[in-house]
Amino acid sequence: GEREADAGRLVQAVASAEPTPPTVRDLQDQGFARELVQACVVTGRLARVSDDLVVTPAFLARAEAVVRAAAGDPEGITVSRFREALGTTRKYALPLLEHFDRQGITRRQGDVRRLAGT
């Protein structure tokens, strides 16, 4: 609606910083209202990974492709391998992996994640 330009700037702020996007608190510090972040999540312009982390759907899809490919290997995938494959830091890799666990894509077994159902 009337905040379309603000929403576009918000999505651009997240996209331009991936694979280490600003946290929701960082976005608020940049002047984006928490309600605008939530509106972008509800409309599918951003994807919520955790309470304080949103990413673009394209980045989330890329992360999911990485985790599906690597977690399907017999040895599974560790946070470190996932972090390296995405070119991000542990600060972002761990919430993404936890998101995939909650979605039923992966399951954690100690320090390793495997595809759910395998």
Side-chain angles (χ1 to χ4, degrees), residues 12-87:
Q12 182 56 37
V14 172
S16 66
E18 289 171 339
T20 56
T23 64
V24 171
R25 276 175 264 152
D26 293 337
L27 292 167
Q28 288 177 290
D29 290 347
Q30 293 174 27
F32 296 107
R34 191 170 196 82
E35 295 78 22
L36 181 62
V37 174
Q38 182 59 28
C40 285
V41 170
V42 168
T43 60
R45 295 183 73 177
L46 292 174
R48 185 169 297 281
V49 173
S50 68
D51 286 343
D52 201 41
L53 183 61
V54 293
V55 297
T56 62
F59 180 74
L60 187 60
R62 188 176 111 203
E64 184 177 336
V66 167
V67 81
R68 282 185 183 277
D73 289 342
E75 65 273 2
I77 189 169
T78 62
V79 175
S80 179
R81 282 186 52 216
F82 182 68
R83 175 188 56 76
E84 289 172 10
L86 275 183

